[in-house]
Amino acid sequence: MIALLVVACEVAFWVLLAAGLALRYVARKPKLGAAVLLCEPLLEVVLLVVTAIDLKNGAEPDWKHGLAAVYIGFTVGLGHHTIKKVDAWVAHRWFGGPPPVKPPKYGTARAIHEWRTAARWILAAVVALALLQAAVWYVGPDGAISSLQSWQQKMLLVIGINVIIAGGYTLFPKQAPKDADAVDREPADRL
């Protein structure tokens, strides 16, 4: 049941996103569209509550419970940014909005962009780690927690990979070609 709920939450995420953007741009009701988009965190609350109830009712923790925690973490870390990117793309593609801001390609600006991206992924992994650890404590040391600990190891790997990628752009920045025009910049308020 938990795995199906994770899939349902993912589908509902995209349905709510499409509905919110349709209300915003097609129906010209931006406040109603924003209200629909603000309902998206309720999906994660439902998933969290159902997962906790499942564990409380004596279910053995397995990969599905870990997947639920990871899904919630990744929605927390990446959901807002995904919504903003899709909104900018839809506005540009079909409603005459400005083109989405492209990430910088070179130098320090690119390194900063990569650290911001890494920060989103690290936040996602840390939230997932916290939820997984809460599940481990909830189940107790006598329970079958190996699948939850396996997910924790994967989240540590996600953190490590993102630090390595961002660190690589910091230590070995790609230099702009000599004939390149002004470097595109990412707005400072983007995270």
Side-chain angles (χ1 to χ4, degrees):
M1 179 176 96
I2 299 297
L4 289 175
L5 187 57
V6 170
V7 171
C9 285
E10 180 66 12
V11 170
F13 174 87
W14 291 103
V15 168
L16 282 174
L17 180 57
L21 294 175
L23 286 168
R24 180 175 181 165
Y25 294 111
V26 177
R28 305 241 183 235
K29 298 193 180 283
K31 289 183 182 179
L32 185 57
V36 168
L37 292 175
L38 287 173
C39 291
E40 298 222 10
L42 295 176
L43 299 171
E44 284 65 48
V45 172
V46 168
L47 181 59
L48 180 63
V49 168
V50 170
T51 303
I53 290 171
D54 192 44
L55 289 173
K56 182 178 178 169
N57 289 339
E60 284 290 320
D62 61 11
W63 67 270
K64 295 175 288 239
H65 297 94
L67 178 64
V70 169
Y71 177 80
I72 293 168
F74 279 64
T75 302
V76 169
L78 303 169
H80 178 70
H81 181 72
T82 301
I83 291 169
K84 284 178 67 172
K85 292 292 253 188
V86 171
D87 181 33
W89 181 79
V90 166
H92 173 66
R93 178 86 170 114
W94 287 298
F95 298 100
V101 176
K102 293 182 180 179
K105 295 179 182 178
Y106 308 107
T108 304
R110 179 61 186 226
I112 291 169
H113 168 77
E114 291 299 329
W115 279 108
R116 287 180 177 155
T117 300
R120 285 189 286 275
W121 282 90
I122 290 168
L123 172 63
V126 167
V127 169
L129 278 167
L131 290 172
L132 290 162
Q133 188 59 45
V136 166
W137 288 332
Y138 187 70
V139 171
D142 298 331
I145 57 175
S146 62
S147 64
L148 299 175
Q149 291 172 330
S150 173
W151 278 107
Q152 286 178 316
Q153 292 169 352
K154 290 174 177 75
M155 293 303 97
L156 291 172
L157 185 63
V158 167
I159 292 170
I161 289 169
N162 278 280
V163 168
I164 289 169
I165 290 170
Y169 277 95
T170 302
L171 296 174
F172 310 105
K174 186 175 178 183
Q175 300 300 318
K178 301 259 187 235
D179 60 344
D181 293 336
V183 175
D184 292 337
R185 293 187 165 264
E186 187 173 24
D189 65 342
R190 294 194 49 200
L191 181 61

